[in-house]
Amino acid sequence: AQSVTQLDSHVSVSEGTPVLLRCNYSSSYSPSLFWYVQHPNKGLQLLLKYTSAATLVKGINGFEAEFKKSETSFHLTKPSAHMSDAAEYFCVVSDRNSNYQLIWGAGTKLIIKP
Amino acid sequence: GAVVSQHPSWVICKSGTSVKIECRSLDFQATTMFWYRQFPKQSLMLMATSNEGSKATYEQGVEKDKFLINHASLTLSTLTVTSAHPEDSSFYICSAFLAGVSNEQFFGPGTRLTVL
């Protein structure tokens, strides 16, 4: 069965410092992996996705994530945090075995300190 | 990119009334749409999978008579919350599945339902 674990419920960083949001997954088949961002009272926005191509995936707003099969991880990073990055981030997995239903992590709230 | 709209974006209703939420894929056809519910400060919970021309598949614990889903066309799915009560107040989000190279779900902006 698929599952997603976001290891931190909250991450707090200072503006201008690196961001690391951790995600581990389990999947029986070759998974597709996604990171979504949700700003307060806003809809979900896809940051990036991995679908069996390059393991280092670049997304919008300077975010990127690396698919590491041996570690079953898909951590999200950004070199320098901006105040506008403050939001809730969700790691998501799906595979064809589950008819592409999305399995959601619990979310990580990113707090940016001035 | 593929665009999904939801209407209304927010609704306030009295207890006991029914509320219909529409989900439309604006520039693609979606044989499958999904309905999610999100409580404050929580992740999304899949409620049901809506397939065009057939009955929806509900997740365990979701009352199908309470949350009526109709997927009448390849671009429209509706969720009707019947006899709404305050505990139904939540953020409802739909997504439309674009089959093909990406096999990706595209999300609507969500509907905030408040039942008084």
Side-chain angles (χ1 to χ4, degrees):
Chain A
Q2 297 169 292
S3 67
V4 177
T5 303
Q6 290 184 243
L7 296 155
D8 306 292
S9 60
H10 294 78
V11 169
S12 181
V13 302
S14 297
E15 189 176 19
T17 64
V19 175
L20 170 64
L21 304 183
R22 298 182 295 167
C23 173
N24 286 97
Y25 71 92
S26 67
S27 176
S28 302
Y29 294 86
S30 297
S32 295
L33 291 156
F34 309 81
W35 276 99
Y36 285 90
V37 61
Q38 187 178 39
H39 288 90
N41 299 314
K42 295 283 182 66
L44 289 158
Q45 183 180 21
L46 178 66
L47 277 179
L48 51 79
K49 63 180 178 181
Y50 165 79
T51 55
S52 77
T55 56
L56 181 62
V57 183
K58 293 187 183 297
I60 62 172
N61 301 335
F63 285 95
E64 63 181 39
E66 187 171 6
F67 173 69
K68 292 187 176 180
K69 187 174 182 178
S70 61
E71 299 177 10
T72 60
S73 69
F74 191 58
H75 301 333
L76 182 70
T77 60
K78 182 173 180 176
S80 176
H82 192 271
M83 293 301 290
S84 61
D85 294 328
E88 190 84 21
Y89 291 78
F90 294 99
C91 181
V92 183
V93 66
S94 78
D95 66 41
R96 57 181 171 84
N97 191 48
S98 61
N99 291 323
Y100 299 102
Q101 279 192 7
L102 299 181
I103 306 300
W104 294 76
T108 298
K109 184 173 184 177
L110 178 61
I111 300 163
I112 310 296
K113 297 178 292 185
Chain B
V3 179
V4 176
S5 70
Q6 273 184 249
H7 178 80
S9 55
W10 59 270
V11 57
I12 301 172
C13 69
K14 292 182 178 180
S15 186
T17 61
S18 295
V19 175
K20 180 186 284 189
I21 302 170
E22 292 185 348
C23 177
R24 293 182 185 273
S25 56
L26 298 185
D27 50 2
F28 67 101
Q29 293 182 330
T31 54
T32 303
M33 291 185 174
F34 299 90
W35 286 96
Y36 297 85
R37 184 172 180 176
Q38 186 181 27
F39 290 103
K41 299 183 180 181
Q42 293 189 27
S43 189
L44 276 71
M45 181 191 77
L46 179 65
M47 298 175 66
T49 302
S50 168
N51 295 297
E52 188 265 338
S54 65
K55 292 182 179 181
T57 303
Y58 290 82
E59 295 300 301
Q60 194 172 10
V62 178
E63 300 175 57
K64 62 180 181 180
D65 296 328
K66 172 77 170 176
F67 299 99
L68 300 178
I69 291 173
N70 187 335
H71 195 156
S73 77
L74 289 173
T75 58
L76 173 64
S77 176
T78 60
L79 169 68
T80 301
V81 183
T82 62
S83 187
H85 288 89
E87 56 266 29
D88 299 323
S89 299
S90 191
F91 194 52
Y92 292 88
I93 303 171
C94 75
S95 70
F97 181 67
L98 179 57
V101 176
S102 66
N103 286 320
E104 183 179 337
Q105 291 185 31
F106 293 89
F107 288 85
T111 298
R112 174 79 56 194
L113 170 63
T114 302
V115 184
L116 302 176

